[in-house]
Amino acid sequence: MEIKLEKINHSTDIPLEIKDLYHAAFPDEERRDWSDIIRRIETGDPLFDFYVLQHNSETIGFITLWNLPGALYCEHFATLHRCRNKGFGAAVIQEVINMTGNRPLVLEVELPGASEFADSRISFYERCGLTSLDDFPYWQPPYRQGLPEVPMMLMSSKPLPDPTAFAMILHTIVYNQ
């Protein structure tokens, strides 16, 4: 299955349905302000990449990636509802793993049982080759003042030599903590 990850360099290139998907797919406490994404794209933030996902020239979703020391971090990933359960998601994750070189792909997921879809998301990423760091306690910092931190779990495509050090890098660069 051929999937194209089209890197967005200008916010005007983002299809409207992607902004809607971003807001629908992630609760407020698990997403940054859309204006911050636009700012990072427009200023060419060297650590942040926003990709629109395409299959046969049809938009199917998006993924945001951070080029962090020691790992490629997936902050947000979602496919349009009409494109789910067709193998697109697994193809995207495989493509991203191929982009990492020798670095691991790392992402956050809700804890098992935390929501209606948490367990199926974890299983999906496991089928894609990621492993849960379920013995490493982890909390996603709030994106904005007044929002709670969120108990989450890290998953990685390769072992993280020092999860604590990685979490500190992640919190410092991605969450400005």
Side-chain angles (χ1 to χ4, degrees):
M1 174 175 305
E2 187 173 326
I3 299 293
K4 180 181 178 193
L5 280 69
E6 180 183 336
K7 184 177 175 185
I8 300 298
N9 295 310
H10 302 286
S11 61
T12 54
D13 295 335
I14 302 172
L16 181 59
E17 63 189 336
I18 294 299
K19 180 181 177 183
D20 294 342
L21 174 62
Y22 178 73
H23 285 96
F26 300 97
D28 197 40
E29 63 272 9
E30 293 181 26
R31 65 177 147 83
R32 65 183 57 250
D33 285 334
W34 185 252
S35 62
D36 187 44
I37 290 173
I38 298 304
R39 180 184 61 79
R40 290 178 185 283
I41 292 169
E42 293 299 332
T43 61
D45 185 328
L47 300 178
F48 178 81
D49 291 320
F50 189 103
Y51 294 92
V52 170
L53 310 172
Q54 295 187 336
H55 174 68
N56 294 335
S57 300
E58 178 188 357
T59 297
I60 62 167
F62 75 93
I63 192 166
T64 61
L65 301 171
W66 288 80
N67 294 292
L68 301 179
L72 185 64
Y73 168 67
C74 173
E75 183 178 26
H76 294 103
F77 169 48
T79 56
L80 293 164
H81 187 71
R82 70 179 183 270
C83 300
R84 294 184 185 149
N85 299 313
K86 296 181 179 179
F88 295 134
V92 169
I93 294 300
Q94 188 56 57
E95 183 68 27
V96 172
I97 288 172
N98 292 341
M99 292 169 52
T100 65
N102 290 328
R103 299 179 304 159
L105 171 63
V106 180
L107 50 83
E108 301 163 330
V109 292
E110 294 174 297
L111 295 173
S115 74
E116 178 183 356
F117 300 108
D119 293 348
S120 63
R121 263 190 218 106
I122 292 167
S123 294
F124 164 76
Y125 287 119
E126 287 173 340
R127 288 190 307 275
C128 291
L130 279 76
T131 303
S132 303
L133 279 71
D134 51 8
D135 59 345
F136 178 70
Y138 178 80
W139 290 266
Q140 176 193 294
Y143 278 103
R144 291 172 292 291
Q145 190 172 3
L147 291 177
E149 60 183 17
V150 181
M152 299 283 250
M153 179 171 63
L154 293 177
M155 295 187 78
S156 180
S157 64
K158 295 179 182 177
L160 284 176
D162 187 346
T164 301
F166 177 77
M168 289 175 59
I169 290 168
L170 177 62
H171 289 183
T172 302
I173 295 173
V174 174
Y175 295 101
N176 298 313
Q177 298 287 313

